[in-house]
Amino acid sequence: MKLSIKIITLFPKFIGSYLPSFGILQKAEKGKLLDIKPVDLRQFGLDVRQTVDGRPYGGGVGMVLRPDVLHKAIQSAAKSKIKNLKSKIILLTPQGKKFDQKTAHRLSKFDQLIFVCGRYEGFDERVRSFVDEEMSIGDYVLMGGELPALVISEAVMRLRPGILGKIESTHNESFSPVTDFNGRQKQSLLEYPQYTKPEILRVKSKALRVKNLRVPKVLLSGNHQKVEEWRKKEAEKRTKKRRPDLLN
Ligand code: ADE
């Protein structure tokens, strides 16, 4: 089934301008595997001025997105003619659970994802009661949820069958989850190093000495078992050095 992604935002043009830059997305759209659309929050605004926000009760700086406006927008985006659609509504906020590759795999099993982007100083707390999950893409604060929604969308859609070619398979890549001996899903190792032509690359170092950068001999040996062993060892070495937290 097609994956439908809706991104509720005050900046639909911002989302729209990113979509063609995902060359891969365009291909997927043609194949009817993916439908990704911004939903303009302003169209659900109140009165003639299409108001979407208000001053915070109790005082304070900035404006807060209204829960009634967001509720209408979410209800409208969630409407579907398809029965038993597997759907998730996700609010983007730095206070959410941190997004990772394991979550990308989990979300890739849904038919419809609705992202709700906050902006300005925030949104009314009651919005939290009508979304399924809250997600953050990292411990830093962005201007709004638009980029996080696009980041998550790209990580998820590339895991859907048929979107990537066989060549760009998602097996063996960094962070793809593996099942451990207890049947638990955990993050895998970082990906092993890759090489291509030329076999020997001559470059000048910073000290202007000529250096030969060589492809590891084992990769030229034609011995598949040795290559596999080397890759596994390199992946482990690299993970231990760069991301020891993944080994816990
Ligand atoms: N909105 C602002 N910053 C964010 C972040 N880091 N993740 C998700 N949504 C956000």
Side-chain angles (χ1 to χ4, degrees):
M1 195 190 309
K2 187 158 60 170
L3 169 65
S4 156
I5 297 179
K6 291 181 184 159
I7 302 178
I8 299 174
T9 171
L10 280 172
F11 300 92
K13 284 203 183 112
F14 176 89
I15 299 288
S17 70
Y18 266 88
L19 299 184
S21 69
F22 298 166
I24 201 158
L25 265 180
Q26 277 181 315
K27 202 174 83 188
E29 271 188 319
K30 267 190 214 135
K32 295 281 168 264
L33 297 169
L34 182 75
D35 179 29
I36 171 163
K37 273 198 205 91
V39 174
D40 187 0
L41 183 60
R42 185 72 59 186
Q43 74 184 87
F44 302 95
L46 307 167
D47 58 54
V48 281
R49 295 177 52 213
Q50 294 186 294
T51 306
V52 294
D53 53 7
R55 291 213 186 88
Y57 281 125
V61 286
M63 301 291 272
V64 175
L65 288 175
R66 291 181 59 120
D68 45 358
V69 174
L70 275 164
H71 189 257
K72 262 201 288 181
I74 292 169
Q75 291 255 296
S76 161
K79 243 190 275 160
S80 170
K81 290 190 196 93
I82 303 163
K83 263 203 184 150
N84 304 326
L85 192 78
K86 268 193 92 187
S87 179
K88 259 231 179 294
I89 302 165
I90 297 161
L91 180 66
L92 286 320
T93 155
Q95 296 182 20
K97 187 170 173 282
K98 217 179 285 168
F99 178 74
D100 60 13
Q101 191 66 13
K102 197 171 139 191
T103 311
H105 277 273
R106 178 167 65 79
L107 294 183
S108 73
K109 308 286 188 301
F110 285 83
D111 308 313
Q112 185 184 53
L113 298 174
I114 296 168
F115 292 106
V116 183
C117 305
R119 271 266 156 179
Y120 301 136
E121 263 61 40
F123 41 81
D124 185 288
E125 184 65 18
R126 289 165 287 183
V127 171
R128 297 204 143 93
S129 67
F130 39 79
V131 300
D132 298 315
E133 290 188 39
E134 295 178 37
M135 277 181 203
S136 161
I137 60 162
D139 290 341
Y140 39 83
V141 181
L142 300 167
M143 308 268 281
E146 285 76 9
L147 282 172
L150 288 166
V151 165
I152 296 175
S153 297
E154 182 165 335
V156 170
M157 68 87 184
R158 62 186 289 288
L159 298 174
R160 298 275 298 190
I163 289 190
L164 288 190
K166 276 196 200 84
I167 305 159
E168 309 144 286
S169 120
T170 57
H171 291 296
N172 265 332
E173 68 185 358
S174 299
F175 309 118
S176 34
V178 288
T179 309
D180 72 7
F181 48 82
N182 290 319
R184 272 192 306 251
Q185 286 249 303
K186 55 175 197 141
Q187 303 273 6
S188 74
L189 304 172
L190 296 183
E191 200 176 354
Y192 51 76
Q194 297 266 35
Y195 292 86
T196 185
K197 285 175 183 166
E199 258 179 61
I200 303 171
L201 177 68
R202 280 169 75 80
V203 290
K204 275 196 186 129
S205 68
K206 278 195 195 125
L208 295 179
R209 259 194 301 255
V210 173
K211 274 205 299 197
N212 285 331
L213 300 178
R214 291 169 188 276
V215 175
K217 276 209 182 74
V218 60
L219 298 180
L220 310 168
S221 68
N223 184 331
H224 292 303
Q225 198 190 330
K226 283 250 161 67
V227 168
E228 279 315 304
E229 283 165 12
W230 180 84
R231 285 179 167 167
K232 189 161 175 276
K233 227 166 57 202
E234 287 299 313
E236 283 165 1
K237 222 159 72 183
R238 177 160 284 207
T239 310
K240 209 163 159 186
K241 186 153 180 230
R242 297 183 185 202
R243 294 292 307 275
D245 56 301
L246 293 179
L247 299 169
N248 299 330

